[in-house]
Amino acid sequence: MNPVTRLRENPRRAAIAVGYAFVVLVASVVPTPPGSLTPMGPLGLVGLDKWVHAVGYAGLGFTVGAAVRARGRKEVVRAVVVVAAFGTGIELVQAVLPYRSFGVADVGANLLGAVVGGALWVAVAWVAEPRR
């Protein structure tokens, strides 16, 4: 069954995914106070903003996976690619906003988050699957 058909069969899940994507979009284009997310994040590896990107896109990857009820590897990869493309598109929009900026590291954090969210969806779907 194709993903669009699955979205039509699960309008509530689709609405949750679209709503979450809208929240991510709005949060990505509104002005932020200068220096609000520049401190180092957990583990001191990258800035807090990269963690916010990764966590936000993990949630989006999970909700999109759930909306299309991704089961197989190809379906999960498609969901992750859609979420990563959405994140890249938002970064391109930010490039033209005077109060935001484009960042390759942000794109990477979005992709990593989408992959983690897709993997979480697979784990939840596997656990919730009835055993025969």
Side-chain angles (χ1 to χ4, degrees):
M1 181 179 307
N2 94 35
V4 174
T5 304
R6 288 188 184 157
L7 285 174
R8 288 185 185 141
E9 290 177 353
N10 301 292
R12 191 175 84 181
R13 287 182 183 199
I16 290 170
V18 169
Y20 192 104
F22 181 74
V23 168
V24 168
L25 172 65
V26 169
S28 299
V29 297
V30 298
T32 57
S36 62
L37 291 177
T38 54
M40 292 304 283
L43 309 176
L45 300 174
V46 293
L48 185 59
D49 64 319
K50 304 307 178 259
W51 286 90
V52 171
H53 278 265
V55 169
Y57 281 86
L60 189 56
F62 183 89
T63 58
V64 170
V68 297
R69 291 188 165 185
R71 292 283 188 229
R73 185 181 315 151
K74 285 183 181 180
E75 293 170 334
V76 173
V77 168
R78 282 185 197 136
V80 166
V81 167
V82 166
V83 171
F86 178 74
T88 302
I90 288 178
E91 286 299 317
L92 292 172
V93 168
Q94 287 179 341
V96 300
L97 298 175
Y99 50 86
R100 298 293 263 192
S101 63
F102 174 86
V104 174
D106 291 346
V107 173
N110 296 347
L111 173 61
L112 178 64
V115 169
V116 168
L120 285 172
W121 165 250
V122 168
V124 167
W126 182 78
V127 168
E129 194 173 278
R131 303 283 178 242
R132 295 175 197 198

